[in-house]
Amino acid sequence: MNLVKWAGGKARLAESFREYFPKSSRTFYVEPFVGGGGSFLSLKSDFAAGSDQNQSLIYLWEAVRDDLEALIYGYEFYCEYHSEDGYNAARKLYNDLIADIGKYRILDEKKQDIAILFLYLLSTGFNGLCRYSKKSGFNVPIGDKLPSSKTLREKLLVVADRIKTTNFHCWDFEKTIQHYQLKPGVFFYCDPPYSKIKGKGFQSYTEDWKHSDADRLKKVLTDSGCRFAVSEIDCPEVRDRYADFEFVEFQANRSIGGDRSKVAEVLILGR
């Protein structure tokens, strides 16, 4: 189960992670890199928060939680005009709308419009990719799928039920961790972009993630004094960075962009 397909998502590994995560129903579960929610929806407790720096994604999470019927109605509107020209027009409109993020206060109506367009583009774009360029914005071409609104609504009804008491934020991971670190029973699960090691990882989607960010993540987690887990690619640099912590090894399947190879990954546990 996930909200949308997302590069590096952990839906297939979520159940394997469960034995290493807190069992208490009073755990406050936080994911600072919530993405498409592959792990979040499987592992979250009743008390939870998710954060991501993709503002459109956070608008989509909030739209599913707060007004699913309006979201589906908007999706159906774009499906009525679905074609290559219709898709390209929707993509241009989306890019025009997100150009204002960070410049002006975004009205609730515009947030909803962005969420609807983002859902439509991710659902009908090539291979479910979410990709931006500095020059042209969201630049994924049309794909060959048009999910029915009925099927999508049935899935999102389940998602909406799971997140009805969940907080969402468009924050940097450091702000998210520092905001929640004093919550009783808090547990952080972090699934950051893979460290870039010899061409591995999802760096083609996350060019802004640097080694200094990985170091900063480790520091803010250890400084918090909270229990946490981090997913990372298995490589000497990661082993060195978290040398004082426990490692659990996994094989992760790539599942986006046509790549179906396996990658050696580790779950790092901070008790």
Side-chain angles (χ1 to χ4, degrees), residues 107-155:
L107 299 176
D108 288 344
E109 296 81 8
K110 187 173 284 189
K111 291 178 184 179
Q112 186 180 74
D113 290 342
I114 291 172
I116 290 167
L117 283 161
F118 193 54
L119 176 63
Y120 168 73
L121 293 172
L122 291 182
S123 299
T124 60
F126 179 73
N127 263 338
L129 291 174
C130 180
R131 185 184 64 200
Y132 300 86
S133 72
K134 292 181 180 179
K135 181 179 180 180
S136 59
F138 187 92
N139 61 3
V140 178
I142 191 171
D144 58 3
K145 295 180 179 179
L146 181 63
S148 74
S149 59
K150 180 181 178 181
T151 300
L152 192 60
R153 183 179 183 276
E154 288 173 353
K155 183 185 87 165

Side-chain angles (χ1 to χ4, degrees), residues 17-30:
F17 290 170
R18 189 177 297 279
E19 66 177 288
Y20 304 101
F21 286 13
K23 308 295 192 297
S24 173
S25 61
R26 300 190 65 80
T27 297
F28 196 97
Y29 181 89
V30 180

Side-chain angles (χ1 to χ4, degrees), residues 95-213:
N95 283 325
D96 289 344
L97 288 172
I98 65 172
D100 290 339
I101 293 177
K103 296 180 182 178
Y104 312 103
R105 179 178 175 270
I106 305 298
L107 299 176
D108 288 344
E109 296 81 8
K110 187 173 284 189
K111 291 178 184 179
Q112 186 180 74
D113 290 342
I114 291 172
I116 290 167
L117 283 161
F118 193 54
L119 176 63
Y120 168 73
L121 293 172
L122 291 182
S123 299
T124 60
F126 179 73
N127 263 338
L129 291 174
C130 180
R131 185 184 64 200
Y132 300 86
S133 72
K134 292 181 180 179
K135 181 179 180 180
S136 59
F138 187 92
N139 61 3
V140 178
I142 191 171
D144 58 3
K145 295 180 179 179
L146 181 63
S148 74
S149 59
K150 180 181 178 181
T151 300
L152 192 60
R153 183 179 183 276
E154 288 173 353
K155 183 185 87 165
L156 294 182
L157 276 171
V158 178
V159 174
D161 185 64
R162 291 284 290 139
I163 64 172
K164 56 190 175 184
T165 60
T166 299
N167 300 320
F168 292 102
H169 312 282
C170 183
W171 290 346
D172 172 78
F173 65 81
E174 185 169 357
K175 181 176 180 178
T176 303
I177 293 167
Q178 290 177 343
H179 180 83
Y180 284 105
Q181 64 187 15
L182 297 181
K183 278 275 188 184
V186 70
F187 172 77
F188 297 105
Y189 170 57
C190 298
D191 182 24
Y194 280 156
S195 294
K196 191 174 184 181
I197 306 297
K198 295 180 180 179
K200 297 179 180 179
F202 290 99
Q203 223 63 12
S204 58
Y205 306 100
T206 53
E207 292 293 345
D208 292 336
W209 185 256
K210 301 177 178 64
H211 295 307
S212 59
D213 293 314

